[in-house]
Amino acid sequence: MQKIIKKRPLLTQEKLSDHPLLNRLYQSRGIQSVQELERTLKFLHRPQQLAGIEQAVGILVQAYKKQSRIVIVGDFDADGATSTALTLLALRQLGFTQVEYLIPDRFSQGYGLSLSVAEMVVAKGADLVITVDNGISSFEGIEYLKSQGIQVLVTDHHLPADSFPNADAMVNPNLPYCEFPSKSLAGVGVAFYVMLALRGKMRDENLFTGTEPNLAELLDLVALGTVADVVPLDHNNRILVHQGLSRIRSGACRAGIKALAEVSKRDLSHLQAADLGFAIAPRLNAAGRLENMSLGVELLVADNMDVARQLAFELDSLNQTRKEFEQEMKTEALSICAKLPKLSQKGQAHGITLYQPDWHQGVIGILASRIKDQFHRPVIAFAQESEESKFIKGSARSITGLHMRDVLERIDTLYPDLIVKFGGHAMAAGLTIHQDHFLKFQKIFDEVINEMIEPELLQGIIYTDGELQAGEFSLEIANLLQQAGPWGQHFPEPTFEGDFKILQQRLLGGNHLKMMLENQQGMLLDAIWFNIDTRLFPDLSIKQAKIIYKLDINEYKGNKNLQLRVENVIV
């Protein structure tokens, strides 16, 4: 598909920086004032602004006084793992002595506080259950716990349905009556806020017998979970991520994060938000995709570096296996896509729905994301729930401008018997259907996409920050851009375009393209393009092209050199 390149428009005229390039970058990201660029903790929104937090803290204080038995129920992704680890560590630091956790098994139990998970909680003799990164849609499980006399505190950030579960307290910025200014908190961000509020209440009631814990020590977990869950980096989240990254770079972070940085060959002292998203989080997620995320939680709570390294090596190995599954599945998916009608027609609104019975359920989300990136279409990839089951589970990924959960809700309204269950966000969602309904669902998904999306959104627009001037190709500018972050979702890393001569091309590490480029001013520049399609590149016939790139710093044996990180080559 031919990509369309557009320069990001300036969304504000405010003067935000004395540096002209930074000023333009901030203006094009909609920053309204210099205060929005502040990254110190005093600019965070207050915990008291979250609806339900007083009730939540009241329940936790009573649990502390009784030393109740608490079970934390998490989720099997990186946000769920960091939320679980943070809540477990914080409660222990605050003086709670009977705290343990449960992570649902992705394959046998599915997402959230289901009935089967609730039964496990009862077997553990819990007095109080705290959900993290889930719970807002766990009606059945919560009802069962309540019938057993167990209190339930829900902390979540997912969009709620029209009704709410019968929990004793709920903290979720996306509840319709919650006036918390940031609706973009990740699950780990919500958990962190609840722990902050609890510490404040315990301080007010003079419940600390020793030194009051410093919960800022847990911001490394907040940063990792926030970036991993790809939530928008609004001002509040940028503060949380910046503060967490600062702790990581100084070495004041969990042993598990240090160990994951080691196995992914990342320099801890120069770690960026992108490293959390593309190197650390995938290895953590591998546990939940292929085995059980308890392995990831144990890594994050580990105090001993030797134990952390051993667990990190296990996760790295799982991640390699995940990559192999992913490559096999992608090859099969591309073969299916090649046979789909209308997909190559320009302007044709078309959703892609894929299913193979032997696909790995834990990898279909990544597969959907890869196919979405390749064809710039909303994608749902399905895998069989289990060998005995007649149901299939789908993982959906959307494109900008199309709210995936709204699509599934629309289908569910029009065809109430088609989807067994669904949930999720604008860009990612999950669902379950009967395998006999796949072809019907495939047709209806396509029809609803056609109804709901403007055709131009399917054209694959690449937004850039324009061209760099001759003097801006420098280590100084690359450093400046790194320090101006953290960059991420809805606050995109600066991306530039330019016409270059391609002087050299060679494969590096099997699927990375190393290039020597010459810009229009005659300057020679190293460039790297990660994870290329080796069927198309290297292509030595291409001598000149428009390159979409980010400024990067390549450090090797203590030497730092400017490098262009290529995003696209347009001939």
Side-chain angles (χ1 to χ4, degrees):
M1 174 189 292
Q2 184 63 43
K3 303 284 187 179
I4 296 171
I5 301 170
K6 287 189 177 181
K7 186 176 175 181
R8 287 194 182 93
L10 300 184
L11 303 177
T12 176
Q13 298 300 316
E14 297 293 320
K15 184 179 179 184
L16 303 162
S17 171
D18 290 331
H19 194 287
L21 177 59
L22 272 189
N23 192 58
R24 174 161 60 86
L25 294 173
Y26 290 145
Q27 287 176 337
S28 66
R29 283 150 183 78
I31 299 297
Q32 300 293 328
S33 69
V34 174
Q35 186 170 311
E36 278 185 57
L37 299 170
E38 293 285 354
R39 297 177 300 190
T40 56
L41 290 172
K42 71 178 183 180
F43 287 94
L44 278 179
H45 300 312
R46 300 297 99 193
Q48 291 71 27
Q49 294 172 278
L50 280 161
I53 202 154
E54 287 185 18
Q55 296 96 307
V57 166
I59 289 168
L60 288 167
V61 167
Q62 288 307 308
Y64 172 79
K65 290 175 177 176
K66 296 176 184 175
Q67 283 301 322
S68 301
R69 192 170 186 82
I70 298 174
V71 175
I72 302 160
V73 175
D75 185 24
F76 39 66
D77 66 0
D79 188 17
T82 51
S83 304
T84 303
L86 181 143
T87 306
L88 183 71
L89 291 165
L91 289 176
R92 287 175 177 170
Q93 288 175 16
L94 290 164
F96 290 74
T97 57
Q98 297 193 86
V99 190
E100 54 185 312
Y101 71 91
L102 266 176
I103 303 290
D105 182 79
R106 179 193 288 267
F107 310 108
S108 63
Q109 294 173 311
Y111 168 77
L113 178 53
S114 62
L115 186 57
S116 66
V117 173
E119 288 169 346
M120 291 174 68
V121 168
V122 172
K124 286 180 174 289
D127 303 305
L128 168 64
V129 170
I130 305 171
T131 71
V132 291
D133 192 32
N134 75 94
I136 202 65
S137 58
S138 301
F139 293 88
E140 195 177 14
I142 290 174
E143 202 58 55
Y144 177 70
L145 290 177
K146 295 294 294 175
S147 74
Q148 300 298 305
I150 297 171
Q151 286 187 301
V152 182
L153 162 57
V154 168
T155 76
D156 201 352
H157 71 125
H158 293 92
L159 297 172
D162 293 335
S163 57
F164 312 123
N166 182 30
D168 294 275
M170 291 184 292
V171 182
N172 181 340
N174 286 301
L175 289 167
Y177 52 82
C178 183
E179 296 180 358
F180 191 74
S182 171
K183 303 298 180 184
S184 300
L185 280 177
V188 69
V190 178
F192 180 66
Y193 266 96
V194 172
M195 293 300 108
L196 284 180
L198 173 59
R199 183 185 64 178
K201 184 67 171 174
M202 292 178 70
R203 178 194 300 144
D204 293 343
E205 294 196 16
N206 295 313
L207 295 177
F208 292 118
T209 53
T211 306
E212 183 180 310
N214 178 14
L215 296 184
E217 292 174 357
L218 302 174
L219 281 164
D220 55 346
L221 296 173
V222 180
L224 174 54
T226 299
V227 172
D229 216 45
V230 204
V231 292
L233 290 192
D234 61 9
H235 185 208
N236 205 67
N237 278 341
R238 289 200 304 277
I239 295 171
L240 292 171
V241 172
H242 172 76
Q243 291 292 327
L245 275 170
S246 296
R247 296 194 68 84
I248 292 170
R249 290 175 191 141
S250 69
C253 63
R254 302 298 308 167
I257 292 178
K258 290 181 184 177
L260 286 173
E262 282 182 10
V263 297
S264 57
K265 297 179 172 58
R266 292 302 193 275
D267 180 358
L268 204 70
S269 64
H270 292 94
L271 211 73
Q272 301 294 317
D275 295 313
L276 294 179
F278 295 110
I280 309 296
R283 287 168 170 81
L284 188 58
N285 272 323
R289 293 188 187 283
L290 301 187
E291 297 210 356
N292 189 285
M293 188 45 101
S294 297
L295 182 65
V297 176
E298 288 302 308
L299 170 73
L300 295 175
V301 300
D303 285 326
N304 182 286
M305 201 61 206
D306 290 335
V307 171
R309 284 193 179 104
Q310 182 181 342
L311 292 169
F313 279 126
E314 285 184 50
L315 289 178
D316 191 51
S317 176
L318 282 174
N319 194 49
Q320 285 301 120
T321 304
R322 186 271 302 168
K323 286 180 179 177
E324 291 164 14
F325 283 145
E326 180 195 330
Q327 190 53 51
E328 291 173 13
M329 289 162 61
K330 186 178 178 183
T331 301
E332 292 173 350
L334 289 173
S335 176
I336 296 169
C337 288
K339 299 169 187 172
L340 291 175
K342 304 186 291 182
L343 190 55
S344 61
Q345 292 179 19
K346 188 177 180 181
Q348 176 67 56
H350 196 105
I352 300 175
T353 320
L354 306 164
Y355 168 52
Q356 287 277 84
D358 60 346
W359 278 352
H360 196 291
Q361 195 187 124
V363 186
I364 52 174
I366 297 176
L367 176 67
S369 186
R370 297 285 188 261
I371 300 299
K372 182 237 358 171
D373 289 343
Q374 181 138 350
F375 293 101
H376 198 73
R377 293 288 190 274
V379 176
I380 304 181
F382 283 95
Q384 201 161 355
E385 188 175 58
S386 66
E387 286 185 17
E388 306 79 27
S389 176
K390 294 188 180 298
F391 294 99
I392 57 177
K393 287 187 171 182
S395 194
R397 296 294 183 271
S398 194
I399 59 175
T400 302
L402 181 73
H403 197 298
M404 183 54 76
R405 190 181 181 280
D406 288 353
V407 171
L408 298 180
E409 198 157 33
R410 175 72 174 152
I411 294 172
D412 193 49
T413 301
L414 293 171
Y415 304 91
D417 298 326
L418 188 56
I419 301 177
V420 177
K421 59 182 177 181
F422 69 93
H425 301 288
M427 302 303 286
L431 70 156
T432 302
I433 64 172
H434 195 284
Q435 63 185 15
D436 293 345
H437 294 161
F438 173 74
L439 292 177
K440 181 181 178 182
F441 180 87
Q442 188 176 43
K443 178 175 179 289
I444 290 165
F445 181 65
D446 187 51
E447 290 171 356
V448 171
I449 296 294
N450 275 288
E451 284 176 19
M452 294 182 66
I453 198 167
E454 297 296 327
E456 57 266 24
L457 293 176
L458 295 164
Q459 291 182 344
I461 298 170
I462 300 173
Y463 286 98
T464 80
D465 294 292
E467 298 191 28
L468 285 179
Q469 303 303 309
E472 292 174 332
F473 287 94
S474 68
L475 277 174
E476 181 189 3
I477 295 295
N479 269 313
L480 183 75
L481 296 182
Q482 283 190 357
Q483 291 163 13
W487 308 100
Q489 186 76 354
H490 289 205
F491 196 71
E493 187 178 354
T495 303
F496 306 102
E497 61 178 280
D499 295 316
F500 294 84
K501 290 179 183 177
I502 302 177
L503 305 179
Q504 294 176 13
Q505 301 178 53
R506 63 182 174 89
L507 276 181
L508 193 68
N511 62 339
H512 309 315
L513 188 67
K514 185 76 173 171
M515 291 182 279
M516 175 68 74
L517 304 178
E518 182 182 336
N519 68 8
Q520 290 175 306
Q521 293 79 31
M523 186 177 183
L524 298 183
L525 297 154
D526 279 326
I528 184 84
W529 190 5
F530 292 112
N531 300 313
I532 59 159
D533 187 338
T534 52
R535 297 170 303 173
L536 303 176
F537 294 94
D539 183 347
L540 299 182
S541 69
I542 301 174
K543 304 296 184 184
Q544 190 147 347
K546 184 174 285 293
I547 308 282
I548 312 299
Y549 64 93
K550 295 170 180 171
L551 279 191
D552 200 10
I553 300 170
N554 183 30
E555 187 166 352
Y556 183 67
K557 292 185 177 179
N559 295 318
K560 293 183 179 181
N561 295 295
L562 182 70
Q563 177 175 257
L564 306 191
R565 184 156 31 99
V566 175
E567 301 287 307
N568 225 304
V569 172
I570 298 168
V571 182

